[in-house]
Amino acid sequence: MSLAGLGEFGLIARIRQAVSDPADLPLGIGDDCAAALVPAGELLLTTTDLLIEGVHFRRDWTTVRDLGRKSVAVNISDIAAMGGTPRQIFLGVGLPADFPLTEIEGFLDGVLEAAGEYGAALAGGDTCRSPGPLFISVTAQGSVPPQELLTRGGARPGDAIYVSGTLGDSALALRQLQAGTLPQSALARRHHDPQARVTLGRQLAAGHLASAMIDLSDGLLGDLGHILTASGVGARLFPDSLPLSEPLRWVLPELLAQQELALTGGEDYELLFTVPPAQQGGLAALASAGLPLTRIGEIVSEPGLKLLAADGSLLPLPSGSFKHFGSADR
Ligand SMILES: [Mg+2]
């Protein structure tokens, strides 16, 4: 059976059956709006992302279950980047008429599974037929106490720049898929099933350990550029200290190629954050708790971004990474 056979209301009824509403969601799927409680005094965070088949994903490279999981994770990652706790997600899908029902169910399983892992409830959405590709739009909501909100604008000269996890794995998997090579499974997982760093984001926010934060979706240089612009500061990065995974080093033995990918590759969904000098002791305790946290540079008052080798010499920025840094840095 396809969507044409089941019909939109049949699909919504199936989704409704699969979902149970938590206490902070008195009214979920099924009315004109969802009605949710925000914890007293907290700010409501809202973020949305659009994923289009052929632009953001290819159905022959991923399973529909992973596609559902990733659609949730990339949105929850934005909640994590603000220091928030995920609360609800809303799902809009434009489904090709011949999209098989088993595929729709697999996709929904992935959405619900990932939402459950992050403690978010599917609270509403919309479905319609697409005359062409599969469209997926996820909106995520979360909450954060106002004094714990982390933005891109709080970095100050003297702060250290940190990143979680390892960089470049997802981009390497994508590059291999584009070249017709099957990526090694650990790299493929990083691309098809990224993990939003919600626990780390909350720890940094609640502990007042970070001054600015962003999640890495477009690549380290571009996303760091957003922090620098929003904060009105510059940065020095140390490419030799970029955290790289074993599989990446194995597939890509040349150091410059590793660093180029770590600096420019997208879809890491790690957290990039700045830490004031006084908070670096508190961060050390977090870093020993599992996910590696690596110091990769420092914030300076002079605008622009410089890459520095271990001996202090200046390295060229990879081509294609200039757009966020203005003409003065070329
Ligand atoms: Mg983001």
Side-chain angles (χ1 to χ4, degrees), residues 150-161 210-213 224 226-235 272-277 298-301:
L150 276 164
T151 70
R152 302 172 179 184
R156 296 293 172 262
D159 291 356
I161 303 169
S211 50
M213 186 149 71
L224 175 59
H226 291 312
I227 287 186
L228 302 185
T229 302
S231 300
V233 294
L272 176 71
F273 54 97
T274 55
V275 180
E298 61 198 22
I299 297 292
V300 296
S301 53

Side-chain angles (χ1 to χ4, degrees), residues 77-78 81 152 214-217:
S77 180
D78 282 324
R152 302 172 179 184
I214 191 170
D215 68 316
L216 292 178
S217 53

